[in-house]
């Protein structure tokens, strides 16, 4: 079983942020999962004491995020959307899900590592429109 990669300065204790802190939503879309621990470390070191950080991923390697006890959300990756295109209208589903995530978390700020949510949704639409 693969062990999760840990950043050398990473603590093993989950982050405890009071719920009254403003939400910082961090999209990590289209990013190699090997970079997730470093991104997580940087975001929490810079924003973790003042914000409740919510990470939005398009990869199912949640281990580094779960180890730190942060909130996370998942958007179906582009390759799986193409593979399962017949199941549903992915762009409409994901656009609605993105809107619902913003309503749910009410982030004060959204930052992106990798592509922005808008770019991710546009690529999803382009894939549908091109029959991918």
């Amino acid at each position: 079983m693969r062990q999760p990669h840990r950043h050398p300065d990473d603590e093993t204790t989950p982050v405890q942020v009071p719920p009254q802190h403003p939400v910082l939503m961090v999209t990590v879309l289209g990013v190699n999962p090997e970079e997730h621990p470093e991104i997580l470390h940087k975001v929490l070191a810079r924003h973790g004491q003042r914000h409740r950080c919510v990470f939005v991923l398009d990869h199912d390697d949640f281990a580094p995020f779960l180890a730190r006890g942060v909130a996370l959300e998942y958007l179906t990756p582009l390759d799986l959307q193409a593979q399962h295109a017949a199941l549903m209208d992915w762009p409409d589903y994901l656009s609605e899900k993105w809107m619902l995530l913003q309503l749910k978390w009410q982030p004060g700020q959204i930052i992106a590592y990798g592509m922005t949510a808008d770019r991710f949704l546009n690529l999803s639409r382009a894939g549908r429109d091109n029959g991918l």
Side-chain angles (χ1 to χ4, degrees):
M1 183 168 152
R2 189 176 95 183
Q3 293 296 317
H5 173 75
R6 294 198 187 277
H7 190 278
D9 298 328
D10 200 14
E11 297 185 22
T12 57
T13 349
V15 175
Q16 300 296 323
V17 178
Q20 69 270 19
H21 279 51
V23 171
L24 172 66
M25 187 172 279
V26 183
T27 62
V28 188
L29 302 169
V31 174
N32 184 328
E34 292 177 3
E35 296 177 43
H36 289 177
E38 182 177 350
I39 292 169
L40 180 62
H41 174 76
K42 284 181 181 180
V43 169
L44 293 179
R46 183 166 185 172
H47 303 284
Q49 297 301 314
R50 297 179 319 274
H51 294 87
R52 179 162 189 206
C53 298
V54 176
F55 291 84
V56 181
L57 311 172
D58 67 341
H59 195 279
D60 62 0
D61 183 7
F62 306 136
F65 301 91
L66 294 174
R68 292 300 303 270
V70 297
L72 58 98
E73 299 285 354
Y74 175 79
L75 297 179
T76 307
L78 297 169
D79 61 335
L80 287 180
Q81 293 175 44
Q83 184 179 348
H84 301 289
L87 291 178
M88 68 172 67
D89 186 329
W90 289 105
D92 286 351
Y93 166 76
L94 292 169
S95 292
E96 185 171 341
K97 184 171 182 175
W98 177 244
M99 180 191 68
L100 291 172
L101 290 177
Q102 291 177 74
L103 289 172
K104 173 183 175 181
W105 293 106
Q106 298 182 6
Q109 185 178 6
I110 301 172
I111 60 174
Y113 282 86
M115 67 181 92
T116 65
D118 287 340
R119 174 131 173 83
F120 182 82
L121 295 172
N122 286 337
L123 287 172
S124 180
R125 284 184 204 99
R128 176 194 60 198
D129 296 346
N130 293 323
L132 301 176

